Amino acid sequence: RMPVSVPAADKWQRGSAALSLSFLSLVFSITAFSSSYWCEGTRKVAKPFCTGQTKGDHCIRFNSPDANNSNAVQYIWETGDDKYVDRKFHAGIWYSCEEIINEEGEKCRSFISLTPAADRGVLWLSIVAELLYIILLLTGAILMSVEMCYYSTVIDGLKINAFSAVVTVLAGLLGMVAHMMYTTVFQMTVNLGPEDWRPHAWDYGWSY
């Protein structure tokens, strides 16, 4: 014979563990969705000319004692890869940011504007899928909360728990599809995007 109700201690312990993990995944998903660290890497750019008191390996120095005199003959010895410097960048769904050479801070641009026009539809589908993924995670967490606080028969609790599990699994599948679509768009942007943005080397970041 099936018991009429679930023991309160067992129900609370099982439900609180599942609910805590569900809300933790929800927080991580929202944080990753809003961040710009899906992909990280470097972009090879030409070194700027050293000006004023600027020194270091991130700018090109003139081999002349009178470097500020425009009439003086100035020689530049940097050749090949010595003329370039690797500038770090990171990109997400919304923004792509790269460091500023010889200065503090970053310069950010909208990633949507960098994406080739033919691939923006896929990027928007990825954004919609990410939003649905977060909504499904939230729905699963709400159902777990209802299952914890809904003191009724075992059958009712199992029904709510099963539906919550199905919603959470669907959220995970949808999240994987959204990530794959974003990866496709990012690779197309690397190949066909603006010349002043294309990275030299990149890999997935912590948000991905």
Side-chain angles (χ1 to χ4, degrees), residues 20-180:
S20 299
L21 292 175
S22 180
F23 271 109
L24 189 63
S25 63
L26 180 63
V27 170
F28 284 158
S29 300
I30 294 175
T31 303
F33 180 67
S34 59
S35 74
S36 60
Y37 285 88
W38 284 49
C39 297
E40 299 176 285
T42 57
R43 192 169 72 85
K44 185 174 289 188
V45 297
K47 293 180 181 179
F49 292 110
C50 296
T51 57
Q53 300 298 323
T54 304
K55 296 181 180 179
D57 298 329
H58 296 308
C59 64
I60 298 176
R61 295 180 295 276
F62 294 109
N63 187 27
S64 172
D66 194 11
N68 294 324
N69 187 356
S70 59
N71 295 323
V73 178
Q74 298 166 348
Y75 298 96
I76 301 172
W77 295 102
E78 284 83 353
T79 59
D81 290 338
D82 293 337
K83 295 172 58 177
Y84 298 93
V85 63
D86 290 332
R87 178 182 291 178
K88 295 181 181 179
F89 87 98
H90 54 89
I93 290 181
W94 305 108
Y95 293 102
S96 175
C97 301
E98 61 182 28
E99 65 177 348
I100 302 175
I101 302 298
N102 296 325
E103 294 183 22
E104 294 183 357
E106 295 178 326
K107 180 181 70 174
C108 297
R109 289 184 286 180
S110 171
F111 182 75
I112 298 175
S113 64
L114 298 172
T115 306
D119 298 310
R120 287 179 186 171
V122 180
L123 180 60
W124 281 111
L125 283 177
S126 175
I127 293 174
V128 171
E130 286 287 342
L131 289 173
L132 290 176
Y133 161 61
I134 293 174
I135 291 173
L136 286 176
L137 280 181
L138 179 61
T139 303
I142 292 174
L143 288 174
M144 290 181 188
S145 301
V146 172
E147 194 264 339
M148 277 185 60
C149 302
Y150 186 60
Y151 292 93
S152 183
T153 63
V154 175
I155 297 298
D156 291 338
L158 289 176
K159 286 180 180 179
I160 297 175
N161 190 270
F163 190 63
S164 172
V166 170
V167 170
T168 304
V169 171
L170 288 177
L173 293 174
L174 192 60
M176 287 191 295
V177 172
H179 279 54
M180 292 173 61

